[in-house]
């Protein structure tokens, strides 16, 4: 009688350990799913879309024809390789119809970019820098980059200000 009681409580202890282990695994799994979820860029406003915003993850962008800009910039030392896609190609893809882009970043920064910049210059939406994906909470998911070195006109505050990093939203107006 006493023996079977001890056995029973031992089973309960094991069962408890097992349920804690399962719970721990579930927490671990949901944490890694949350980490794998990339921040995306939402394009809204005057675009062709049945259901509102069109979203692009860095992976989605990387599936399009890549463009590389090798340039110096106020934020990097020496020449940096930025990889991305032409802003004009993305605007074409979503059938953007307007004159200005209201760009917003994860850090709260906002700036207006004339759509004419996309055709006047080889502006890119960058997702990689020197071969690495842009870093989360620094520049990710996207960074608007102008070819500052190839056009003297671009190496000025006006265009640096439009070089928004942590870009998460573009509203076409
Ligand atoms: N997400 C984000 N992008 C940004 C900014 C910012 O604060 N946040 N500053 C802008 C401005 S006003 C300029 S001039 C350039 C350079 O900013 P810095 O001199 O602070 O590096 O980046 C632009 N892009
Ligand atoms: Mo600025």
């Amino acid at each position: 009688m006493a023996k079977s009681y001890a056995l029973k409580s031992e089973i309960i202890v094991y069962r408890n350990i097992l349920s804690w282990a399962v719970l721990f695994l579930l927490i671990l799994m949901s944490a890694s799913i949350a980490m794998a979820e990339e921040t995306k860029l939402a394009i809204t406003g005057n675009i062709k879309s049945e259901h509102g915003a069109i979203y692009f993850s860095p992976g989605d962008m990387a599936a399009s024809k890549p463009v590389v800009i090798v340039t110096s910039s106020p934020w990097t030392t020496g020449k940096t390789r930025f990889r991305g896609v032409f802003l004009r190609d993305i605007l074409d893809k979503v059938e953007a119809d307007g004159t200005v882009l209201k760009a917003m970043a994860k850090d709260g920064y906002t700036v207006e970019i004339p759509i004419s910049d996309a055709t006047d210059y080889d502006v890119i939406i960058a997702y990689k820098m020197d071969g690495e994906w842009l870093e989360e909470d620094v520049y990710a998911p996207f960074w608007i980059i102008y070819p500052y070195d190839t056009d003297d006109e671009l190496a000025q505050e006006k265009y640096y200000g439009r070089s928004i990093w942590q870009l998460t939203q573009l509203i076409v107006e």
Side-chain angles (χ1 to χ4, degrees), residues 100-103 109-114 117 146 158 161-162 173:
V100 70
L101 297 173
K102 285 198 171 148
Y109 180 80
T110 65
V111 70
E112 293 198 359
I113 302 170
D117 276 10
Y146 289 74
K158 181 162 98 182
R162 294 175 190 172
E173 289 186 350

Side-chain angles (χ1 to χ4, degrees), residues 4 15-16:
S4 98
R15 223 195 251 158
N16 263 329

Side-chain angles (χ1 to χ4, degrees), residues 15-141:
R15 223 195 251 158
N16 263 329
I17 290 172
L18 196 68
S19 52
W20 280 113
V22 167
L23 186 68
F24 180 72
L25 270 176
L26 283 173
I27 290 168
L28 221 63
M29 275 162 64
S30 58
S32 73
I33 288 166
M35 273 193 292
E37 200 179 293
E38 297 172 293
T39 315
K40 292 182 178 181
L41 167 65
I43 305 182
T44 61
N46 243 328
I47 58 171
K48 187 148 187 228
S49 161
E50 307 266 309
H51 312 285
I54 298 177
Y55 294 90
F56 293 91
S57 70
D60 297 333
M61 286 289 189
S64 290
K65 195 179 76 181
V67 184
V68 171
I69 292 180
V70 180
T71 186
S72 57
S73 84
W75 318 279
T76 52
T77 46
K79 301 270 182 186
T80 302
R81 281 176 73 86
F82 292 97
R83 181 181 290 261
V85 292
F86 282 127
L87 176 59
R88 57 174 167 271
D89 287 354
I90 293 304
L91 294 178
D92 277 350
K93 195 174 250 180
V94 301
E95 296 185 42
D97 181 17
T99 56
V100 70
L101 297 173
K102 285 198 171 148
M104 295 173 201
K106 238 171 87 180
D107 63 4
Y109 180 80
T110 65
V111 70
E112 293 198 359
I113 302 170
I115 287 184
S116 56
D117 276 10
T119 45
D120 292 347
Y121 309 105
D122 287 338
V123 184
I124 66 166
I125 303 183
Y127 51 83
K128 276 190 177 181
M129 185 165 111
D130 286 334
E132 307 281 348
W133 296 97
L134 293 181
E135 204 180 325
E136 202 61 43
D137 295 323
V138 186
Y139 297 123

